[in-house]
Amino acid sequence: IQDDHKLSTSELEEKYGTSINKGLSSARAAEILARDGPNSLTPPKATPEIVKFLKQMVGGFSILLWIGAVFSWISFGIQLAQGAESPFDNLYLGVVLALVVILTGIFAYYQEAKSTNIMASFSKMIPQQALVIRDAEKKELPADQLVVGDIVEIKGGDRIPADIRLIFSQGCKVDNSSLTGESEPQSRSCDFTHENPLETRNIAFYSTTCVEGTATGIVINTGDRTVIGRIASLASGVGNEKTPIAIEIEHFVYLVAGVAISIGVLFFIISVSMRYKILDSIIFLIGIIVANVPEGLLATVTVSLSLTAKRMAKKNCLVKNLEAVETLGSTSIICSDKTGTLTQNRMTVAHLWFDNQIYSADTSEDQTTQPFDQSSPSWTALSKIVTLCNRAEFRPGQENLPIMKRVVVGDASETALLKFAEVILGDVMNIRARNKKVAEIPFNSTNKFQLSIHETDDSNDKRFLLVMKGAPERILERCSTIMINGKEEPLDSEKAEAFQTAYMELGGMGERVLGFCHLYLPENEFPDTYPFDTDSMNFPTSNLCFVGLLSMIDPPRSTVPDAVSKCRSAGIKVIMVTGDHPITAKAIAKSVGIISATSETVEDIAKRLNIPVEQVNRREATAAVVNGMELKDMSLQQLDEILCNHSEIVFARTSPQQKLIIVEGCQRQGAVVAVTGDGVNDSPALKKADIGIAMGIAGSDAAKNAADMVLLDDNFASIVTGVEEGRLIFDNLKKTIAYTLTKNIAELCPFLIYIIASIPMPIGTITILFIDLGTDIIPSVALAYEKAESDIMNRRPRNKRKDRLVNEQLAVYSYLQIGIMQSVGAFVTYFTVYAEQGFLPSTLLGVRVDWENNAINDFEDSYGQEWTKYQRMYLQWTGYTAFFVSITIQQVADLIIRKTRRNSIFQQGLFRNKVIWVGIFSQIGIALILTYGLGHVTALNFTPLRFQYWFVAVPFAILIWVYDEVRKLFIRRYPGSWWDKNMYY
Amino acid sequence: GVTLRPDVYGDRGLQIYYNVSDNRTWEGLVTTLRTFLTEYTPAAQRLNVNCTSDTYFIQDTFDGPNKTKLSCKFTSDMLQNCSGITDPTFGFPEGKPCFIIKMNRIIKFFPGNGTAPRVDCTYVGDESHLLEVDYYPVNGTFNLHYFPYYGKKAQPSYSNPLVAVKFLNITRNVELKIVCKIIGAGITFDNVHDPYEGKVEFKLKIED
């Protein structure tokens, strides 16, 4: 690490071969530029767009479908060469399959492209121009031309063009929020103030902003070697872990592809050994693949996820990476920032102490009154000091805004006091105007007090009022009396003791405490015309009258305690990670419930038992407050031990870098970790986390880019709503997949039976695509709108390894139970249609070769009628249509039963999810259009079906519904039984 | 549907090619016809009744044996010159071949609306040449008494009526496209998808 901040100006000049007055020579600068490269961040090696696109084209089921398409074309080629009658069917099928792959690929690519690149905003942060001294002249140069050793001048409003060591500064303040997330401007000078180059005042960092003042400095790092450059490369170095849902979908794809390939190959072998032609066997193989692959499912999943993402956006969770929607649901640990996330991010008066008594103030977000007892004359005196001894002011023109929302010019504590006074007394500005200020000493770090002298608005009282506030112990030192119930009483040791107790108590709650005192200056000594001089302090500043204490805190958001307890019941551990003082951190943790009322830290136990900390049995302490300094010295095992043994953990005084360590620690425990962050240097942790959550208001661009999710209102409670949505979508995706997989059996069986029993083909490959990509799409998306069956926030987060999206039970129940019922229903329809048209089921067996023979145009049916080839084909298409229609009808029942996995449909409500009904109507509507609207388009193989054939499968649809209700009933009745274990998916 | 005998299918439908001087090329065709007509010998038709009426043979009752309906006799001699009786080679070696046209059975189908449907063969597309055809039975009609068909169970011995066509002026060594349509009310032959509905199309080439 560099030590440039420790060097003197001349040493710097020597080190970088530059001169403060003349700067570098152009020639030398060009040399260095050639050596170091331009002053810009190298974008990470981006995967070329075309590669990303092609990846989408071969991912998931695409390979299987490509194989299908290629086989189709091969068989087209063979048939064309053989001069067969209708080779173009296979060409079209191949084209359709390819189109399906390409369109779903484009869809997926588009979704991915929407997720923005992390480097995008880093590069946006680069300043355009910089004012440089070269060849003893001031020049405007593009910032990427800067080299080490250049002398640059910056002024308020500029972005710092590189890491620079300041050599001259005038009131310079920088906003480091893009680096640290702290929005308070920090002053910069030429003084070496800290060993750590990141903390010292004489270095300004690349990409931060100069808020005010001017400065001159030597460039010490450029481009990727700057602090932010290193963070950027660190962030891009942290690998993007696969999201849990991506893993689940991959698992599901492997499962389905495995089934498709094994059945396909098995039946290829069977058909070859049954002396089918190889060409025919290949065509069967295509059919089997198409039947097995749920072509529309991955798109459906994407749509469902984006619907949830939209819903979450309405609840202030903006999801950048769609899959993160579900990740949030499987979160088991949330590492949350304190300031702004758990708290309101504004100082608020929390307690008062006067008349020897502590009063609590309302700290909620929308306070309009203060309920504590304001009758005491001591309060009147105290309120006067609070009002007058305060330099903060409301920006004008906000009279109509609620007090809490108004913008104030002034520091955090003064703002708190101003608003507090405004709430209780009303129009503070007017009160101040009536009590004209005649002299003032602002707060400074040596005095540790603030003082002002006012005329009073009491026209009978010509005395001046001196009011003072400051650090309580310093204020008390200056007092000789104390006000009790409006009367001044001598400040004896007993009263001083009471003060100490109150001060300790308020301080112990992590609050910032201020003391207030006043003095009426005697009229004879200080007449109207008395010239108050704040430099010589020609007025008393001791023997004042102590009035009271006010303590302030950044209070928790009112929704947070509830959200934390929700997390607790949902089995999610909430860990607070903050840069704040441990006492404040602990106080907030306690008030929001991160540390519950009954649990103790090791230190608490030690204090209670009055034994040294080392003797406490660490296992007894459920809570832990870990200081960043301790964390630094900890080994990984020690950290693991803490994360493992304590259920309630607060990390205080931590640096953003340590956040990464904490996240990694949690991940070692097998947890799915959500992390909140706002600063640039939070980005590695945000990237590393399973789900990084950036703050929408306080967050820097880099943090937002590194994150998977942006919390628009910075509110912790929004994360919890996100978790709820994430869990719901996981359940609903399960339902969607179960729904989609079911009909695959009904699509597959026709091929298998066709091959084995040589019946006329019951369903065409194109027809299958119309189910998978037509009738089934809207219903499967509709399941994403299903409400939760029970309180999903009362169960533990899902176990990544055990609770799979597609488990054995789901596959078995969908494929082998409902799927088989559906196939039976569809075959009954098929045989009904053929029987009614002339072919009894017995005549269909083994009929395939003659049936498909073009040379037989007087094919005899069961009634002695004779059929031409085309008439048979038309009947076959009618069979396809009937098969298709009966699958559709049964899918309606399948859709209804998939609404719940455990509860009865009647418990869930048949009509609560209106979208399901949209799905059902769309399903039937599309089927009607296909059969009656497009029934005459030969290429599609649909025929205008006789109306009665629509109802053949209805009993099976009812059977499916009843069967599933019985299944659910037994699951509810006999929890933990064999039935429950095997029938619940 | 309408079918043709002999029926030799090539890649694009019926193709009947033979060489008059090479009896191996037409013997198969002749055998096909002969085999096909074995169903129409008087012995094979003995269960069927002689019908003389030229109207539909409507049967509301089951008058046949074992509760069946009666079927009308169709014997191959009705095909006269194309019966294979007078000319066992069906005119193939002379280059004036016989073909047999058969209508598919359809239950309760009343073709022709009272007029007997007849076969009409022409060249396809080529209007300038007139195809000279002899039709057997006369006029190439399917007598109405063969209709309607009541199904396999009701009429177990039913045989389709036939019409034989004998082409008289086939140009040698040219592939000719011929269509034989069945003309009659209720019979359509304009379904673009089905080449065998109400008609049969075939290619004929006689070499020497």
Side-chain angles (χ1 to χ4, degrees):
Chain A
I1 283 257
Q2 281 174 316
D3 51 1
D4 290 337
H5 54 300
K6 297 178 194 163
L7 303 180
S8 72
T9 313
S10 50
E11 282 168 326
L12 282 166
E13 277 183 312
E14 192 186 336
K15 179 173 176 185
Y16 291 109
T18 186
S19 145
I20 288 174
N21 301 322
K22 291 184 192 158
L24 293 170
S25 68
S26 293
R28 174 80 186 127
E31 263 174 47
I32 301 174
L33 187 66
R35 185 192 70 197
D36 289 351
N39 175 32
S40 61
L41 299 181
T42 354
K45 264 188 205 143
T47 331
E49 290 300 305
I50 184 73
V51 172
K52 279 195 217 162
F53 185 71
L54 289 178
K55 258 190 185 164
Q56 296 293 355
M57 291 291 162
V58 295
F61 294 119
S62 305
I63 284 281
L64 277 183
L65 294 176
W66 278 123
I67 292 173
V70 168
F71 280 164
S72 302
W73 288 324
I74 290 173
S75 47
F76 162 70
I78 295 173
Q79 284 181 328
L80 194 68
Q82 288 177 347
E85 196 123 307
S86 53
F88 288 96
D89 285 0
N90 283 314
L91 175 69
Y92 297 148
L93 179 60
V95 170
V96 168
L97 290 179
L99 270 181
V100 167
V101 179
I102 291 169
L103 289 180
T104 46
I106 289 174
F107 185 73
Y109 171 76
Y110 169 72
Q111 289 293 349
E112 199 197 78
K114 280 212 295 197
S115 318
T116 42
N117 191 329
I118 177 164
M119 281 316 281
S121 84
F122 277 114
S123 52
K124 258 189 269 159
M125 277 191 265
I126 294 172
Q128 297 300 306
Q129 296 286 321
L131 192 60
V132 189
I133 302 176
R134 281 205 191 151
D135 307 321
E137 271 178 66
K138 278 190 194 175
K139 286 180 188 170
E140 281 267 315
L141 278 183
D144 61 355
Q145 299 296 312
L146 286 187
V147 296
V148 166
D150 263 330
I151 308 296
V152 292
E153 286 188 11
I154 50 170
K155 59 179 188 307
D158 285 353
R159 277 199 156 152
I160 313 289
D163 283 357
I164 52 177
R165 158 71 159 85
L166 301 185
I167 45 178
F168 164 80
S169 157
Q170 191 169 35
C172 177
K173 278 192 173 176
V174 290
D175 175 2
N176 270 358
S177 65
S178 71
L179 193 63
T180 59
E182 276 170 52
S183 50
E184 198 93 341
Q186 295 168 359
S187 64
R188 282 289 177 263
S189 64
C190 319
D191 311 324
F192 160 53
T193 55
H194 203 285
E195 282 288 329
N196 186 342
L198 293 171
E199 305 270 338
T200 184
R201 282 207 182 156
N202 55 2
I203 292 183
F205 296 104
Y206 180 39
S207 91
T208 61
T209 322
C210 175
V211 187
E212 56 182 72
T214 57
T216 308
I218 301 180
V219 173
I220 54 171
N221 284 313
T222 57
D224 290 331
R225 289 165 303 279
T226 59
V227 169
I228 203 135
R230 271 177 278 165
I231 292 171
S233 56
L234 188 58
S236 56
V238 175
N240 247 340
E241 307 276 315
K242 267 190 191 147
T243 60
I245 194 74
I247 294 169
E248 288 304 322
I249 287 173
E250 200 167 80
H251 169 241
F252 157 72
V253 167
Y254 284 149
L255 199 105
V256 171
V259 170
I261 291 172
S262 32
I263 294 182
V265 169
L266 179 69
F267 275 83
F268 184 78
I269 293 168
I270 289 177
S271 51
V272 168
S273 55
M274 282 176 74
R275 295 176 195 285
Y276 281 93
K277 279 184 273 176
I278 297 287
L279 183 66
D280 288 341
S281 307
I282 290 175
I283 293 171
F284 302 157
L285 184 60
I286 301 165
I288 288 172
I289 290 173
V290 171
N292 258 307
V293 171
E295 290 83 8
L297 187 63
L298 295 187
T300 312
V301 169
T302 315
V303 171
S304 301
L305 288 174
S306 57
L307 282 173
T308 305
K310 265 188 201 153
R311 204 150 57 205
M312 282 166 70
K314 270 191 207 145
K315 294 175 181 169
N316 292 319
C317 295
L318 198 67
V319 180
K320 277 174 41 199
N321 174 359
L322 274 190
E323 287 167 352
V325 169
E326 194 282 323
T327 314
L328 197 56
S330 47
T331 300
S332 53
I333 296 182
I334 301 175
C335 293
S336 175
D337 276 340
K338 180 183 80 70
T339 312
T341 313
L342 296 169
T343 66
Q344 300 171 17
N345 197 19
R346 58 183 173 84
M347 277 296 179
T348 305
V349 175
H351 292 98
L352 304 91
W353 180 78
F354 56 84
D355 295 348
N356 263 334
Q357 200 178 336
I358 291 179
Y359 297 88
S360 293
D362 180 9
T363 56
S364 64
E365 284 93 334
D366 48 357
Q367 42 181 289
T368 46
T369 53
Q370 285 290 356
F372 66 91
D373 180 19
Q374 293 156 12
S375 57
S376 162
S378 306
W379 161 247
T380 317
L382 181 58
S383 67
K384 201 152 203 172
I385 310 170
V386 169
T387 314
L388 299 178
C389 187
N390 190 332
R391 287 154 53 91
E393 283 175 26
F394 288 113
R395 282 248 178 88
Q398 308 185 80
E399 287 74 16
N400 299 325
L401 285 177
I403 295 166
M404 287 299 139
K405 295 242 164 69
R406 291 185 203 168
V407 181
V408 173
V409 186
D411 73 23
S413 331
E414 291 219 305
T415 304
L417 293 171
L418 171 64
K419 287 185 173 173
F420 181 69
E422 182 87 7
V423 165
I424 300 174
L425 305 172
D427 207 349
V428 168
M429 293 306 169
N430 187 26
I431 298 174
R432 287 199 200 152
R434 280 188 276 125
N435 297 272
K436 210 172 136 247
K437 196 191 289 177
V438 292
E440 177 177 52
I441 303 176
F443 184 87
N444 71 49
S445 48
T446 29
N447 290 340
K448 294 214 154 108
F449 68 77
Q450 175 180 355
L451 172 155
S452 58
I453 299 166
H454 298 261
E455 294 169 359
T456 66
D457 52 358
D458 184 350
S459 48
N460 301 326
D461 193 347
K462 290 284 173 226
R463 290 178 300 176
F464 285 104
L465 173 63
L466 181 151
V467 289
M468 184 193 264
K469 75 163 189 248
E473 65 278 9
R474 294 296 182 90
I475 297 294
L476 195 75
E477 278 168 17
R478 297 176 183 275
C479 293
S480 56
T481 59
I482 183 165
M483 184 176 280
I484 304 288
N485 296 325
K487 294 193 181 64
E488 278 185 37
E489 292 180 15
L491 186 64
D492 52 27
S493 60
E494 190 192 326
K495 294 206 172 67
E497 186 80 4
F499 160 87
Q500 277 303 336
T501 317
Y503 181 27
M504 292 303 289
E505 190 173 341
L506 296 177
M509 290 191 278
E511 295 176 4
R512 188 190 293 177
V513 191
L514 287 176
F516 295 82
C517 62
H518 72 189
L519 183 70
Y520 281 96
L521 302 177
E523 198 179 349
N524 46 3
E525 279 180 58
F526 300 95
D528 285 359
T529 52
Y530 188 82
F532 290 103
D533 181 6
T534 53
D535 289 329
S536 61
M537 296 223 234
N538 56 355
F539 46 84
T541 55
S542 57
N543 290 327
L544 311 175
C545 170
F546 192 86
V547 181
L549 295 170
L550 252 71
S551 68
M552 282 160 292
I553 197 161
D554 176 12
R557 289 166 178 271
S558 51
T559 46
V560 168
D562 198 37
V564 170
S565 81
K566 253 190 181 173
C567 284
R568 210 175 266 276
S569 58
I572 302 167
K573 193 159 152 180
V574 182
I575 295 178
M576 182 198 275
V577 183
T578 176
D580 262 10
H581 197 274
I583 292 174
T584 320
K586 191 176 163 191
I588 293 292
K590 280 211 150 177
S591 68
V592 298
I594 288 178
I595 297 182
S596 51
T598 51
S599 56
E600 291 176 307
T601 62
V602 173
E603 291 77 14
D604 289 334
I605 295 175
K607 204 170 155 193
R608 176 165 55 84
L609 300 177
N610 213 359
I611 52 173
V613 172
E614 293 74 31
Q615 289 179 16
V616 176
N617 178 4
R618 295 196 163 258
R619 305 269 156 151
E620 273 177 39
T622 48
V625 178
V626 182
N627 196 312
M629 301 307 276
E630 295 166 39
L631 185 59
K632 215 157 92 186
D633 304 328
M634 261 180 214
S635 67
L636 292 181
Q637 285 84 351
Q638 279 171 311
L639 177 62
D640 287 355
E641 219 167 89
I642 287 181
L643 291 170
C644 223
N645 294 339
H646 301 283
S647 57
E648 300 168 345
I649 309 172
V650 170
F651 288 96
R653 279 276 151 85
T654 47
S655 68
Q657 283 82 352
Q658 288 178 322
K659 224 184 216 175
L660 184 62
I661 297 169
I662 296 167
V663 169
E664 284 169 339
C666 293
Q667 284 175 333
R668 274 198 300 278
Q669 319 290 314
V672 176
V673 187
V675 169
T676 69
D678 43 22
V680 167
N681 48 9
D682 282 337
S683 40
L686 289 172
K687 273 235 135 181
K688 179 74 202 169
D690 296 282
I691 178 159
I693 304 170
M695 295 301 134
I697 302 167
S700 62
D701 284 357
K704 286 180 195 170
N705 272 309
D708 305 292
M709 213 176 88
V710 179
L711 214 54
L712 293 179
D713 59 355
D714 291 12
N715 190 346
F716 179 81
S718 304
I719 302 178
V720 182
T721 12
V723 171
E724 211 168 335
E725 289 290 347
R727 289 185 172 195
L728 182 59
I729 195 64
F730 186 80
D731 283 7
N732 285 349
L733 282 182
K734 239 182 180 174
K735 295 173 183 176
T736 302
I737 290 175
Y739 167 78
T740 314
L741 286 188
T742 305
K743 57 145 196 306
N744 278 8
I745 286 295
E747 291 170 354
L748 180 67
C749 284
F751 286 94
L752 309 188
I753 294 176
Y754 168 77
I755 292 171
I756 291 174
S758 285
I759 56 172
M761 183 67 101
I763 192 168
T765 314
I766 299 274
T767 323
I768 289 175
L769 289 176
F770 272 106
I771 299 176
D772 289 1
L773 296 168
T775 55
D776 258 14
I777 291 288
I778 299 176
S780 41
V781 172
L783 283 169
Y785 288 91
E786 201 54 45
K787 300 272 181 303
E789 280 177 69
S790 54
D791 192 356
I792 40 179
M793 293 305 275
N794 277 336
R795 61 177 196 225
R796 303 198 57 74
R798 83 183 169 88
N799 184 322
K800 274 197 283 189
R801 285 179 204 89
K802 282 196 210 137
D803 308 331
R804 310 307 305 253
L805 182 65
V806 177
N807 52 20
E808 196 190 308
Q809 289 91 330
L810 185 148
V812 168
Y813 185 68
S814 302
Y815 274 150
L816 298 185
Q817 299 189 39
I818 302 297
I820 293 291
M821 278 188 227
Q822 238 182 34
S823 312
V824 172
F827 267 104
V828 166
T829 315
Y830 164 86
F831 283 119
T832 307
V833 169
Y834 274 80
E836 262 207 27
Q837 297 299 316
F839 295 91
L840 296 175
S842 55
T843 58
L844 291 176
L845 297 178
V847 89
R848 188 190 69 93
V849 177
D850 286 346
W851 182 272
E852 291 175 358
N853 190 345
N854 285 324
I856 300 180
N857 280 300
D858 48 0
F859 187 92
E860 198 179 308
D861 69 14
S862 310
Y863 301 94
Q865 306 186 94
E866 290 166 318
W867 298 67
T868 64
K869 171 71 197 306
Y870 177 77
Q871 286 164 343
R872 295 197 302 274
M873 279 314 293
Y874 192 80
L875 175 58
Q876 190 174 323
W877 295 336
T878 309
Y880 291 1
T881 314
F883 212 94
F884 162 82
V885 162
S886 56
I887 288 180
T888 308
I889 296 287
Q890 294 177 89
Q891 278 292 80
V892 171
D894 191 25
L895 180 63
I896 291 171
I897 65 167
R898 300 302 184 181
K899 279 165 67 77
T900 60
R901 292 187 294 151
R902 179 185 293 275
N903 290 352
S904 163
I905 294 300
F906 302 102
Q907 281 171 291
Q908 182 81 349
L910 203 46
F911 300 99
R912 255 212 316 181
N913 180 356
K914 303 276 185 307
V915 190
I916 287 282
W917 288 95
V918 174
I920 291 175
F921 286 123
S922 79
Q923 215 165 11
I924 293 173
I926 292 173
L928 283 171
I929 291 170
L930 285 174
T931 39
Y932 299 113
L934 301 174
H936 296 289
V937 184
T938 333
L940 299 182
N941 301 167
F942 283 98
T943 65
L945 200 63
R946 278 199 201 168
F947 199 62
Q948 61 263 39
Y949 295 150
W950 284 72
F951 299 95
V952 182
V954 168
F956 290 90
I958 295 168
L959 173 71
I960 287 172
W961 190 346
V962 171
Y963 182 78
D964 195 61
E965 277 298 318
V966 171
R967 176 189 75 92
K968 288 167 188 162
L969 179 72
F970 283 148
I971 286 172
R972 293 195 303 273
R973 276 281 165 81
Y974 307 108
S977 64
W978 175 91
W979 187 274
D980 186 18
K981 278 186 202 129
N982 288 282
M983 299 291 276
Y984 180 69
Y985 55 88
Chain B
V2 178
T3 51
L4 184 78
R5 293 294 184 286
D7 47 349
V8 178
Y9 284 83
D11 287 336
R12 304 251 183 282
L14 286 161
Q15 285 175 342
I16 288 117
Y17 297 170
Y18 74 95
N19 193 325
V20 286
S21 45
D22 184 355
N23 56 359
R24 278 172 305 174
T25 57
W26 49 262
E27 255 170 9
L29 304 171
V30 170
T31 314
T32 310
L33 284 177
R34 217 174 279 148
T35 317
F36 178 71
L37 287 175
T38 53
E39 299 285 313
Y40 292 90
T41 57
Q45 291 287 318
R46 70 184 186 284
L47 294 174
N48 294 347
V49 295
N50 280 316
C51 302
T52 46
S53 147
D54 286 340
T55 55
Y56 294 119
F57 186 29
I58 296 167
Q59 307 169 67
D60 295 326
T61 52
F62 293 85
D63 299 334
N66 301 323
K67 290 192 176 170
T68 56
K69 297 191 188 208
L70 299 170
S71 306
C72 290
K73 225 172 240 200
F74 190 100
T75 46
S76 49
D77 59 283
M78 294 176 186
L79 302 177
Q80 300 156 14
N81 282 344
C82 285
S83 63
I85 301 164
T86 49
D87 177 8
T89 53
F90 297 91
F92 277 80
E94 296 89 62
K96 294 176 179 171
C98 285
F99 288 89
I100 293 173
I101 311 284
K102 174 175 79 80
M103 267 173 84
N104 280 350
R105 292 189 292 267
I106 298 170
I107 290 174
K108 292 202 176 153
F109 178 51
F110 294 82
N113 195 19
T115 329
R118 64 176 178 86
V119 174
D120 178 37
C121 296
T122 51
Y123 288 123
V124 175
D126 189 2
E127 304 289 324
S128 57
H129 289 78
L130 205 68
L131 183 64
E132 272 182 52
V133 195
D134 276 349
Y135 296 95
Y136 310 100
V138 264
N139 299 333
T141 53
F142 295 101
N143 198 302
L144 286 181
H145 60 234
Y146 295 102
F147 305 101
Y149 175 55
Y150 285 105
K152 202 152 93 179
K153 272 207 167 145
Q155 293 176 295
S157 59
Y158 180 90
S159 349
N160 303 31
L162 306 172
V163 166
V165 291
K166 192 174 175 70
F167 300 123
L168 303 173
N169 65 339
I170 299 298
T171 316
R172 303 285 168 95
N173 300 322
V174 183
E175 190 192 79
L176 301 163
K177 219 171 170 188
I178 297 168
V179 61
C180 292
K181 291 176 182 162
I182 299 195
I183 317 287
I187 301 168
T188 55
F189 43 74
D190 50 6
N191 185 341
V192 288
H193 302 293
D194 193 347
Y196 304 105
E197 188 181 317
K199 64 174 191 287
V200 56
E201 258 183 40
F202 60 99
K203 285 181 202 142
L204 178 62
K205 188 176 180 187
I206 303 174
E207 294 169 322
D208 53 12

